[in-house]
Amino acid sequence: MSALRTCAVILAAGGLLAGGTAVAAQHDKSAAVAAAPAAPFGGIVHMSSPLDLQSTASGAWTDSTLEVKLPRSGVYDLDVDVHGALSGIPPVNITMQARLWDVASGAPVPQSERFIDQVQDENQGNARVGHNVTAPITERIRVNRPTTIRLQAARAYRGTAVLAQILSDPSGYTAFRYERVGP
């Protein structure tokens, strides 16, 4: 067996000196084979349909269709890009907030609430005002069991709100990235 290994090493070295590529394989049943490290759990999910907040009560938190399933306990990095659109007729003041909701515990992810957008115009006129923005939510959380994290949003308004939506389309996707970074 020793002569076979020596021959394989000489052939591999000779191949490398000649400018080629050589691979030597050793078949030794006594050698322990280390398992490859497990790949981290993660991915990116895009919201499949808009969340229309126009018909919801001012300040009411509403579930979106965007959620991720964290498959096991551990520490996860969560990153969400939220594409919000607001519009109204002056005088108007509309705000939009978003947060992450831990479905398993029935509670918001601590400190995940973000101010997404505000449209305020106190001018006396009837020209519609509004805009679109994308705002981030970035959190690191620890979960003790498999769980689902969902995006929620709310709007608050005074005046005539015409549009309040979380969008996901070619002009700006609402996306949720997650990655398990620790036990």
Side-chain angles (χ1 to χ4, degrees), residues 19 31 42 51 63 65 67 89 104 117 137-139 146 153 155 164 171:
L51 174 59
D63 289 339
T65 59
E67 61 184 38
I89 298 173
D117 194 11
I137 299 174
T138 302
E139 292 296 332
R155 68 163 181 150
S171 68

Side-chain angles (χ1 to χ4, degrees), residues 53 61 77-84 86 95-101 108-118 133-141 151-156 166:
L53 299 169
W61 288 101
D77 282 345
L78 307 176
D79 298 298
V80 186
D81 289 322
V82 182
H83 175 188
L86 292 174
T95 62
M96 181 184 297
Q97 293 79 26
R99 70 180 180 190
L100 301 178
W101 183 259
V109 171
Q111 300 178 340
S112 68
E113 187 173 328
R114 299 295 190 273
F115 185 86
I116 303 301
D117 194 11
Q118 179 176 17
V133 298
T134 299
I137 299 174
T138 302
E139 292 296 332
R140 176 170 282 180
I141 66 168
L151 177 68
Q152 291 186 325
R155 68 163 181 150
I166 302 293

Side-chain angles (χ1 to χ4, degrees), residues 156-167:
Y157 65 94
R158 177 184 53 77
T160 306
V162 178
L163 174 74
Q165 291 183 333
I166 302 293
L167 301 172

Side-chain angles (χ1 to χ4, degrees), residues 5 20 37 70-71 107 124 126 138 148:
R5 277 191 222 140
L70 306 180
Q124 298 299 316
N126 60 3
T138 302
T148 299

Side-chain angles (χ1 to χ4, degrees), residues 8-156:
V9 170
I10 291 171
L11 288 173
L16 290 174
L17 290 174
T21 302
V23 177
Q26 177 181 345
H27 298 284
D28 188 349
K29 293 181 182 180
S30 66
V33 177
F41 292 98
I44 298 175
V45 180
H46 294 90
M47 194 165 79
S48 60
S49 59
L51 174 59
D52 188 358
L53 299 169
Q54 188 59 27
S55 62
T56 63
S58 182
W61 288 101
T62 305
D63 289 339
S64 75
T65 59
L66 184 60
E67 61 184 38
V68 297
K69 296 188 184 319
L70 306 180
R72 66 183 211 185
S73 64
V75 177
Y76 289 84
D77 282 345
L78 307 176
D79 298 298
V80 186
D81 289 322
V82 182
H83 175 188
L86 292 174
S87 180
I89 298 173
V92 67
N93 186 5
I94 316 165
T95 62
M96 181 184 297
Q97 293 79 26
R99 70 180 180 190
L100 301 178
W101 183 259
D102 183 335
V103 175
S105 68
V109 171
Q111 300 178 340
S112 68
E113 187 173 328
R114 299 295 190 273
F115 185 86
I116 303 301
D117 194 11
Q118 179 176 17
V119 171
Q120 182 174 8
D121 190 334
E122 300 301 325
N123 293 315
Q124 298 299 316
N126 60 3
R128 187 171 166 171
V129 296
H131 45 77
N132 294 280
V133 298
T134 299
I137 299 174
T138 302
E139 292 296 332
R140 176 170 282 180
I141 66 168
R142 175 179 299 281
V143 296
N144 296 321
R145 63 185 181 272
T147 191
T148 299
I149 305 294
R150 182 178 297 140
L151 177 68
Q152 291 186 325
R155 68 163 181 150

